[in-house]
Amino acid sequence: MLAPKSLIGIAGGTFNPIGGTASIIIPIVMGFLAKGGNFAPALTFIACITIAGALSYIFLVGKIERVQDYADFNLPNDKKLSS
């Protein structure tokens, strides 16, 4: 589901910092895993993260459609809540 049009800013403001934490955490974990000069553990870690992301998208994300905003509901006499 996508956020209603009236809440798109709140949704973006919530998810961007959460997703942005990966730009802090992943390089630290990669550096720790590749500390000895062997990048195999770091690449395995990235492969696992990629597979987990793909599987979560395939199996957890449902039909993507915008949630109907309260302002889009029609009232009697074809009036709308928004002007």
Side-chain angles (χ1 to χ4, degrees):
M1 289 193 297
L2 296 176
K5 291 178 187 177
S6 63
L7 297 177
I8 200 73
I10 292 173
T14 301
F15 290 115
N16 281 339
I18 293 170
T21 57
S23 65
I24 298 169
I25 295 172
I26 296 298
I28 293 170
V29 172
M30 293 277 293
F32 177 75
L33 292 173
K35 189 187 328 185
N38 183 8
F39 281 91
L43 293 174
T44 303
F45 172 71
I46 290 299
C48 291
I49 294 293
T50 303
I51 291 169
L55 290 175
S56 67
Y57 181 78
I58 291 168
F59 295 113
L60 298 179
V61 176
K63 184 178 179 185
I64 298 176
E65 59 185 11
R66 185 170 302 280
V67 176
Q68 189 174 12
D69 198 355
Y70 70 89
D72 293 334
F73 286 106
N74 288 326
L75 295 174
N77 301 329
D78 292 327
K79 294 182 181 177
K80 286 191 167 244
L81 289 175
S82 62
S83 53

